[in-house]
Amino acid sequence: MRWLALMLAACLSWSAWALDLQQAKQQGLIGEQLNGLVGVVRGSGEVNAIASDINRKRLENYQDIARRTGTSLTVVQSRAGQLNIERTASGHYIQLADGSWRRK
C-alpha cells in the first residue's frame, strides 16, 4: 500500500514538471505560425506532443468559428495567425512567410 501512495505522489508531482505552452514559448521551443497554429522550433517528444495538442484544440475552435460565421477555415486561420503573431511577446519565435523562424 505504501508503494502505491509513493507512485501516486510521483505521478502527481510529474505533472508539475511537465512543460506547458508558455514555458515552451519562453524557452524558444515553440512559436506562432501564420496559419494560426503553433510550430515546433526545436523539437522533442514532449514539445511535439504539446504542439499537436494545442493545434488540435485551435483547429476545432477555428472550424467552429468558420461554421458560425460562414467563413472559410483558411480565412479564419489566416486572421488568427495574424492576431497571434501580433500578440506574441517580444523574444518569442514567429514563423516568417518563407518558413524560417525569428525572434520577435
Side-chain angles (χ1 to χ4, degrees):
M1 186 62 139
R2 182 175 173 181
W3 68 270
L4 182 60
L6 288 173
M7 290 299 292
L8 181 58
C11 289
L12 292 175
S13 64
W14 176 254
S15 64
W17 297 334
L19 195 63
D20 68 14
L21 178 60
Q22 280 309 110
Q23 292 168 331
K25 284 183 172 185
Q26 289 170 348
Q27 293 176 26
L29 304 173
I30 289 179
E32 290 291 341
Q33 300 180 120
L34 292 169
N35 64 0
L37 303 176
V38 294
V40 175
V41 178
R42 290 181 301 163
S44 71
E46 184 178 11
V47 173
N48 293 337
I50 291 168
S52 292
D53 185 53
I54 295 299
N55 288 338
R56 180 186 52 76
K57 291 173 184 175
R58 284 186 179 187
L59 273 174
E60 287 174 3
N61 189 36
Y62 298 159
Q63 288 168 339
D64 183 51
I65 292 169
R67 240 185 333 272
R68 285 186 290 118
T69 62
T71 308
S72 75
L73 179 60
T74 304
V75 170
V76 173
Q77 281 188 254
S78 177
R79 182 65 183 132
Q82 290 173 333
L83 288 172
N84 291 342
I85 287 174
E86 287 172 12
R87 295 175 182 161
T88 295
S90 180
H92 291 189
Y93 280 95
I94 58 172
Q95 192 173 48
L96 305 177
D98 67 2
S100 65
W101 292 100
R102 78 166 171 88
R103 288 193 186 267
K104 183 173 177 188

